[in-house]
Amino acid sequence: MERVLSNELSLHVGERIHMAGWMHRIRKLGSGMVFVHLRDRAGICQIVVESPEAVASIDGLLVESVVEVEGTVVAEPQAAGGYELHDPAFTVLARVTEALPFPISKPVINAHLDTFLDHAMVGLRAPAKQAIFRLSAAAAHGFRSVLDAKGFTEIATPKILGTASESGANVFAIDYFGKKAFLAQSPQFYKQIMVGVFERVYEVAPVFRAEPHQTIRHLNEYVSMDAEMGFIKDHTTVMAMLTDVIRGILSSLADHCGRELELLKVDMPLAPEMFPTVYFPEAQEWIFEHHGEDCRNEPDLAPQHEKWLGEWAKQTFDSDFLFVTGYPMVKRPFYTAPNPADPRYSNSFDLLFRGTELVTGGQRLNSFEDYAAALEARGMTQEAVASYIETFRFGMPPHGGFAIGLERFVMQLTGLANLREAALFPRDMERLAP
RNA sequence: GGGGUCGUGGUGUAGCUGGUCCAACACGCUGGCCUGUCACGCCGGAGACCACGGGUUCAAAUCCCGUCGAUCCCGCCA
C-alpha cells in the first residue's frame, strides 16, 4: 500500500491507508484515549487512538518517535484540517524514550539561540523552523529561475584559492597538500571571467569571511547569490536586473510558500516596480538634515544610517527596498568602475532591505589599462592577480553584477532577530558545531 | 580589536538593596483523573549543592575579585 501524506487525507475518506512520520505530539486523555499528531514532510495530521491494543502499542513512546501507521480516514470537523485517522495500527520504526532538550511542538520555542543551535539537529524539526528554510530554498529557487529565464548560465567556481586576492586580510588560510591556500571570500573574479565566456552567469554558493565580527547580522560562512552580466550601459542596467530578480523571488514565494509565509506571519515586502534610489552624498546630506548626525565626510554609511534611510524609503516611497548608489571609490574594491562624471564616487550600489544591507553590486572596470592603473594606485601587483587580469587583455565587454546574501534576505523577510536563525548550522567566531 | 550585559533543575524565567531560599513559577518528564484534545484542564511526584575558584560576613543565589562561558553594540561587510 502506498504511503499517504498528511495533506492528502481528503482524497482518501473512508479508505484504509498507510502513513508514516514522527510523533509530533502525544496527548493522553484519561480512560485510555490518546491523540497522536503525526508529522511528515507535508505537514501534521491527527490520529485518534482508542482501542486498548493500539494504546498499548505506543505506550512509553515519547515525541519524535518514528512510526508507520495503518488507519481509516475520517472526515471530522473537530479535527484541525478537517480529517483524521481512526482505528490505527502502529509499527514503531524508531523508538524515542528520552525527553527532547527542549519542547519543539509549541508555537514558540522557549530556548536561547545558543541552546537551540547546540541542538539544531532536532530543533530544526519544529514546523516554524522548517518554514524558515523552506522559504530559504524557495528564494534560491526563485533567484535561479528568474535568471535562467533571462539567459544566465549557472556556474560553480572554486572555493579553494591559491591567492588571497581581493583584500587579503579577511580570508581563511588552509593547508593544501603542504601549500598555502585560502577559502574563497567571494566568487567575484571567476564570475567576471565567466562573463567573457557566457555573457551572463550566476552562482548560489557559500562564501567564507574571516572577519572577527560578533553581531546579529554577520556569519563567517554564508550563502551568496551572485550574478554577473556583460554588455551593460552602466550600473543602472545591473540595478534594473536586480530589481527584476528581487521582485521575481518575492512573487515566487507568494505563489509557492503560502503555508510558510502564514506560519511565520511574514509581512510581505513592499517592492515597487522601480526601487527608490539615492546618491551616496545626498543620503549623507539627508541624514544630516533629518537626524542631525554629520557623516558627510565619512566614506561609508553606519548601520544606524541605513536604518534611517530604510524608514525614509518606506514612508516616502512605499518601498522596503532602497538603492544607495555612488559609494566613494576609496571604500570599493579595485575592480569597481568610477562614476565618469565624478571619479571620487563609484558606479556601484548597495540595496538596503528594510534598513539593512542586502546586496552590493556595480559596474566593473573592463579594460586592461584601467585594471593596471587601479592596481598600481592601490599598491597591488599584477602578479598577485595575474590569471584574473589576463581576462581583460583579451576582450571583456562592459559588465557588472551583484551578490545577494541569502540569509540576510530571509532574516529581513521574516523579521528574524538574528542572522544565525536563517542558517541551518551557522558558523560564527565561536561556533564550529553542529 | 574596543565597549556593554548576562550565567539559577532538561528548557525559559523569578529571586539578586545578604538571613523568612536545604531556592519559586511556567514548559518538558512522571503517577493519577476526564472519550474530542489540538499552547487542553485538574490533583500529586521526581529533578538545581544557584557557571567555576577565591574573598568579605555570625550568615552569600544575592556583595567584591578572578577565571571560563554566553550574548549584544561599534568597527567591517552581505
Side-chain angles (χ1 to χ4, degrees), chain A residues 215-246:
Chain A
T215 78
I216 55 166
R217 60 184 187 286
H218 290 95
L219 294 171
N220 293 292
E221 175 179 353
Y222 68 93
V223 175
S224 182
M225 301 198 291
D226 271 84
E228 197 78 11
M229 59 192 288
F231 300 100
I232 61 171
K233 180 175 145 280
D234 55 26
H235 60 296
T236 60
T237 316
V238 180
M239 289 160 63
M241 179 65 74
L242 173 58
T243 305
D244 286 351
V245 168
I246 296 285

Side-chain angles (χ1 to χ4, degrees), chain A residues 14-281:
Chain A
E15 293 173 32
R16 200 75 189 152
I17 62 160
H18 269 243
M19 301 188 74
W22 289 262
M23 297 172 85
H24 185 67
R25 188 197 297 271
I26 304 167
R27 289 235 44 80
K28 288 180 187 164
L29 271 62
S31 64
M33 193 188 198
V34 181
F35 291 98
V36 172
H37 289 191
L38 188 76
R39 187 185 75 242
D40 59 25
R41 66 175 186 270
I44 293 169
C45 70
Q46 177 162 276
I47 303 167
V48 183
V49 191
E50 286 183 286
S51 80
E53 305 77 55
V55 170
S57 72
I58 56 169
D59 186 47
L61 294 182
L62 296 190
V63 289
E64 293 306 300
S65 291
V66 183
V67 295
E68 202 171 78
V69 57
E70 187 189 319
T72 307
V73 181
V74 173
E76 173 55 72
Q78 292 176 95
Y83 302 90
E84 61 188 14
L85 210 61
H86 284 203
D87 304 316
F90 290 95
T91 307
V92 179
L93 301 180
R95 175 177 294 268
V96 174
T97 52
E98 69 180 300
L100 293 170
F102 43 79
I104 65 169
S105 64
K106 300 279 172 182
V108 180
I109 292 189
N110 247 344
H112 278 151
L113 184 56
D114 187 53
T115 308
F116 176 83
L117 293 176
D118 281 343
H119 303 281
M121 301 75 75
V122 290
L124 288 170
R125 296 177 183 182
K129 296 295 177 179
Q130 286 188 22
I132 293 169
F133 297 98
R134 289 182 193 271
L135 285 179
S136 181
H141 181 257
F143 177 81
R144 288 186 167 103
S145 47
V146 172
L147 292 175
D148 284 341
K150 290 176 179 291
F152 282 70
T153 300
E154 180 164 15
I155 58 173
T157 65
K159 302 304 158 209
I160 303 174
L161 307 178
T163 50
S165 41
E166 247 190 272
S167 54
N170 54 356
V171 294
F172 290 105
I174 60 171
D175 175 71
Y176 192 75
F177 302 113
K179 289 181 209 160
K180 199 163 195 183
F182 304 92
L183 293 180
Q185 59 154 317
S186 101
Q188 181 63 33
F189 290 2
Y190 288 98
K191 68 175 181 172
Q192 283 185 261
I193 289 168
M194 290 306 292
V195 164
V197 178
F198 292 134
E199 289 188 23
R200 297 182 162 195
V201 297
Y202 71 83
E203 178 170 23
V204 179
V207 295
F208 306 90
R209 302 278 167 97
E211 305 282 355
H213 31 224
Q214 192 60 268
T215 78
I216 55 166
R217 60 184 187 286
H218 290 95
L219 294 171
N220 293 292
E221 175 179 353
Y222 68 93
V223 175
S224 182
M225 301 198 291
D226 271 84
E228 197 78 11
M229 59 192 288
F231 300 100
I232 61 171
K233 180 175 145 280
D234 55 26
H235 60 296
T236 60
T237 316
V238 180
M239 289 160 63
M241 179 65 74
L242 173 58
T243 305
D244 286 351
V245 168
I246 296 285
R247 285 167 53 86
I249 291 175
L250 290 175
S251 67
S252 132
L253 291 180
D255 289 346
H256 304 298
C257 297
R259 197 177 94 188
E260 287 76 17
L261 293 170
E262 193 179 332
L263 182 61
L264 295 172
K265 297 186 174 67
V266 170
D267 199 5
M268 277 308 267
L270 301 164
E273 246 173 82
M274 295 269 287
F275 295 164
T277 299
V278 62
Y279 194 53
F280 181 84

